[in-house]
Amino acid sequence: MSWSVFAIVLMSSVILEVVAANYGVFLPLLCVCAFCFTMRYGILRVFAGLVLASAVLDGVWMHRFPSQFIAVLTVTLISGTWRRYGDLGAWLSLVMSGFCIGVISWGSHLLGKLSSAGHAMTWKSVFQSLPSQVVAAVLLTPLVALMLNSLLRRRVAWLSKQAEDDEAL
């Protein structure tokens, strides 16, 4: 695995997620990257980087409840168990995975809201962000997976010295 590509993609996803959230759009980019890298390389090779990136994202937003950490941990564990059965090249698999990632990120975001809410929440405030997070995850998962597959399959000379092996798929 090219560690430099892994680090650059994680940093970029954290930065893009923070910038989008500053404009009021919640994108589960880190969860989508966690899914793609876990499906490609396995849990053991990517776990430390994903935990660090999710901790940075929770720290940037000063969350009282580690909602990003919970979401990334859940997506990583489910992806690790699904790795034998899933396929990063099949559209149906990517769309269904995007749906699951959207629901997981919404659930962890909801847990964060509930832990910091000092008042009773209404049903509208609970389910208001669900459609946007699911749609964003369903659209982002195939896009990010295909971009990462094309990036990691070809030789990126200025980032890595060896070509990527595709036997891990």
Side-chain angles (χ1 to χ4, degrees), residues 71 91 93-94 107 150:
W91 284 94
S93 175
L94 291 174
S150 67

Short mmCIF file of all heavy atoms in Angstrom, two decimals, residues 71 91 93-94 107 150:
data_model
loop_
_atom_site.label_atom_id
_atom_site.label_comp_id
_atom_site.label_asym_id
_atom_site.label_seq_id
_atom_site.Cartn_x
_atom_site.Cartn_y
_atom_site.Cartn_z
N ALA A 71 -18.60 6.53 14.04
CA ALA A 71 -19.01 6.25 12.66
C ALA A 71 -17.90 5.55 11.89
O ALA A 71 -18.14 4.55 11.21
CB ALA A 71 -19.40 7.55 11.96
N TRP A 91 -21.45 -1.70 -9.23
CA TRP A 91 -22.22 -0.51 -8.89
C TRP A 91 -23.25 -0.78 -7.81
O TRP A 91 -23.45 0.05 -6.93
CB TRP A 91 -22.90 0.05 -10.15
CG TRP A 91 -21.95 0.75 -11.03
CD1 TRP A 91 -21.28 0.21 -12.09
CD2 TRP A 91 -21.52 2.09 -10.92
NE1 TRP A 91 -20.46 1.15 -12.64
CE2 TRP A 91 -20.59 2.32 -11.95
CE3 TRP A 91 -21.82 3.13 -10.05
CZ2 TRP A 91 -19.98 3.55 -12.13
CZ3 TRP A 91 -21.22 4.35 -10.24
CH2 TRP A 91 -20.30 4.54 -11.27
N SER A 93 -23.18 -2.98 -5.43
CA SER A 93 -22.49 -3.12 -4.14
C SER A 93 -22.08 -1.76 -3.59
O SER A 93 -22.22 -1.50 -2.39
CB SER A 93 -21.26 -4.01 -4.32
OG SER A 93 -20.52 -4.07 -3.13
N LEU A 94 -21.61 -0.88 -4.45
CA LEU A 94 -21.19 0.46 -4.01
C LEU A 94 -22.38 1.31 -3.58
O LEU A 94 -22.30 2.05 -2.59
CB LEU A 94 -20.40 1.16 -5.11
CG LEU A 94 -19.03 0.57 -5.41
CD1 LEU A 94 -18.42 1.27 -6.61
CD2 LEU A 94 -18.13 0.69 -4.21
N GLY A 107 -26.69 8.04 12.09
CA GLY A 107 -26.89 7.53 13.44
C GLY A 107 -25.86 8.04 14.43
O GLY A 107 -26.20 8.42 15.56
N SER A 150 -8.72 3.91 -9.51
CA SER A 150 -7.89 4.34 -10.64
C SER A 150 -6.57 4.95 -10.16
O SER A 150 -5.53 4.77 -10.78
CB SER A 150 -8.65 5.33 -11.51
OG SER A 150 -8.88 6.53 -10.82
#
